[in-house]
Amino acid sequence: MAIISFSPIYLLLLFARFSAFTVAFLVITWALHFKTSFLPHTQSQEDLIYSVLHPLLMVIGFILISGEAILVHRWLPGSRNLKKSVHLCLQGLALACGVFGIWTKFQGQDGVVANFYSLHSWMGLICVSMFGAQVCSTFF
C-alpha cells in the first residue's frame, strides 16, 4: 500500500486554488441565484447584467487567472521560456478581464461620471491601470 506524501508547497498550491475557485463559485452563485446587484435601483435588465458582470469579471480576472499566472512557475513542467510565455499570456488575459470588467461598469444609464463618486471606483481604476502598466513594462 503506497502512502501519498505531499510537500508543503503543493498543499499550499492546492489550498490557494481551492480558495480561488470557492470565491468564484460564490460570486457565480450570487449572480445566477439571487439575480441582484449592488445597484439600489435597477432600471433595466441590461443594467442588471452589466452590474453583475463587473464583480464576476474582476474575481475571475484578478483572483483566478492572475493567481494562476503567479503560481505557474511552481506547477508547470517545462523550460523557463515556456513558463514565462504561459505567465505572460495569463497576465494578459487577467488584464483583459479587468479592462472588460471596468467597461461593463460604464455601460449603465448613469454614464461614466456617476461611477467616480466612491473611493472603490478610484482605487479600482488605479489598480487596473498599474496592473496594465506592469504588464506593458515587461516588454521594455
Side-chain angles (χ1 to χ4, degrees):
M1 183 167 169
I3 297 175
I4 299 173
S5 67
F6 292 106
S7 69
I9 191 72
Y10 289 113
L11 289 176
L12 188 61
L13 287 173
L14 184 66
F15 177 72
R17 286 186 178 132
F18 177 74
S19 299
F21 281 110
T22 301
V23 169
F25 176 76
L26 289 174
V27 172
I28 290 172
T29 302
W30 160 72
L32 295 177
H33 181 2
F34 295 108
K35 294 184 178 73
T36 61
S37 69
F38 295 112
L39 295 175
H41 59 285
T42 302
Q43 291 85 9
S44 68
Q45 186 69 22
E46 186 177 341
D47 280 349
L48 179 65
I49 289 170
Y50 283 132
S51 64
V52 167
L53 272 178
H54 173 73
L56 184 63
L57 286 169
M58 293 300 172
V59 165
I60 289 173
F62 287 121
I63 293 178
L64 279 176
I65 299 173
S66 184
E68 282 300 314
I70 293 168
L71 298 173
V72 77
H73 294 286
R74 287 285 185 187
W75 64 265
L76 186 68
S79 67
R80 185 169 188 262
N81 285 335
L82 174 68
K83 291 178 183 183
K84 286 172 63 174
S85 298
V86 172
H87 175 78
L88 179 65
C89 290
L90 288 174
Q91 290 289 53
L93 186 61
L95 179 62
C97 282
V99 169
F100 187 62
I102 287 178
W103 177 82
T104 60
K105 201 62 180 164
F106 294 150
Q107 296 305 307
Q109 293 179 353
D110 295 334
V112 175
V113 176
N115 290 304
F116 287 108
Y117 288 131
S118 70
L119 182 63
H120 172 88
S121 59
W122 283 102
M123 294 305 290
L125 187 64
I126 290 169
C127 178
V128 171
S129 298
M130 290 178 71
F131 188 79
Q134 179 184 3
V135 169
C136 290
S137 70
T138 58
F139 294 107
F140 302 114

